[in-house]
Amino acid sequence: MSVHLGFSIPINVFGPGLCIAHRGTIIINKNTRVGENCRIHACTNIGSSRAEVSAPQIGNNVYIGPGAKIFGNIVIADDIAIGANSVVNKSFYEKGISIAGIPAEKISTKGSDGIIVAATQIAKNNP
């Protein structure tokens, strides 16, 4: 199915509640770790930098906009929204912010709240 939809997503990279907004190219490095309730859009690449084995470690409830490129031995905190076509090559430890740009920088104190469906919370409340 991944070939048909344009995904290259290794197993055990994403936590529960992953939402893939629509089909299109999504490339994820096998060493990446992403928490619960990630919403990811097409044309996204998450990987390591040249000559690095380590890949991004991304928290819970993170929104990743279309065309985002996230790479290197970096950490992305919980509840962050990453804007479309952003290039994220450094860590962001502050929770609940929006980042965007090339290279990405903090643009707002409003994070992913309201644009993420907390599927894991819904599942816990509806056994």
Side-chain angles (χ1 to χ4, degrees), residues 43-61:
C43 299
T44 300
N45 189 320
I46 303 175
S48 60
S49 294
R50 258 175 74 192
E52 271 189 26
V53 175
S54 298
Q57 307 301 299
I58 300 173
N60 297 321
N61 307 312

Side-chain angles (χ1 to χ4, degrees), residues 3 33 36-37 39 41-42 50 61 75 85 87 105 107:
V3 172
R33 294 296 174 264
E36 297 181 349
N37 304 317
R39 180 174 173 93
H41 286 266
R50 258 175 74 192
N61 307 312
V75 173
N85 296 315
V87 175
E105 59 186 43
I107 61 165

